[in-house]
Amino acid sequence: MKLISILGCGAIYVFAFLSNAQDNLSKSIARGKELYKESCITCHLANGEGVKDTFPPLAKADFLLKHPEKSIHAIKFGMKGAIKVNNVAYNNAMPPSGFADDEIADVMNYIRNSFGNKNPQLVTEKMVAAVKEK
């Protein structure tokens, strides 16, 4: 009986933890969507498809999954030089966003869960703060 009680309490704790994590992600995505509309939409467009041969897509973008730290770095500090997204080379410049670390986390959570992307791992302000300029 004691084992059943312990397992029941453990299940409740896990459910509450997962529910809270999902709620945090949902709120972050909503904030990120607004920031995206303010600053990112001009180049990456409303559908996240970017501009062919000029601005890389965020829609179904393998770069976001393969290189989350580089993606954070690009938003935080800007990016110059060649990158490959979905096997297409892009060589353009992206200015730094000017966003605070918490805002960058929100934008990352939005783009990693929009435009055909799905990544339930929450990007946090702490993860963004750990990315330093090189």
Side-chain angles (χ1 to χ4, degrees):
M1 187 68 174
K2 190 174 183 180
L3 180 60
I4 292 172
S5 294
I6 291 170
L7 290 175
C9 289
I12 291 169
Y13 175 77
V14 168
F15 177 75
F17 176 78
L18 292 176
S19 180
N20 188 40
Q22 182 57 42
D23 188 47
N24 288 342
L25 180 60
S26 295
K27 288 178 181 177
S28 178
I29 290 170
R31 291 188 303 265
K33 182 177 184 177
E34 294 307 311
L35 292 164
Y36 182 89
K37 286 197 255 182
E38 289 174 18
S39 297
C40 313
I41 201 167
T42 305
C43 298
H44 296 287
L45 306 181
N47 59 9
E49 290 184 5
V51 176
K52 187 172 171 64
D53 299 323
T54 306
F55 302 116
L58 301 174
K60 299 177 186 164
D62 60 351
F63 190 86
L64 291 170
L65 296 174
K66 291 179 185 175
H67 308 288
E69 292 83 13
K70 287 182 182 180
S71 299
I72 291 169
H73 191 276
I75 296 169
K76 192 170 184 176
F77 301 110
M79 177 183 263
K80 283 190 240 185
I83 63 168
K84 241 185 191 176
V85 179
N86 299 340
N87 289 321
V88 176
Y90 292 87
N91 192 357
N92 207 340
M94 176 176 148
S97 67
F99 292 153
D101 289 351
D102 62 325
E103 293 172 319
I104 293 170
D106 290 341
V107 169
M108 282 292 295
N109 288 316
Y110 173 66
I111 63 177
R112 287 168 32 121
N113 289 282
S114 301
F115 318 122
N117 302 319
K118 184 68 179 155
N119 193 323
Q121 182 185 5
L122 180 70
V123 175
T124 65
E125 181 178 357
K126 185 177 179 179
M127 291 167 66
V128 174
V131 174
K132 303 297 181 193
E133 190 167 16
K134 297 174 183 172

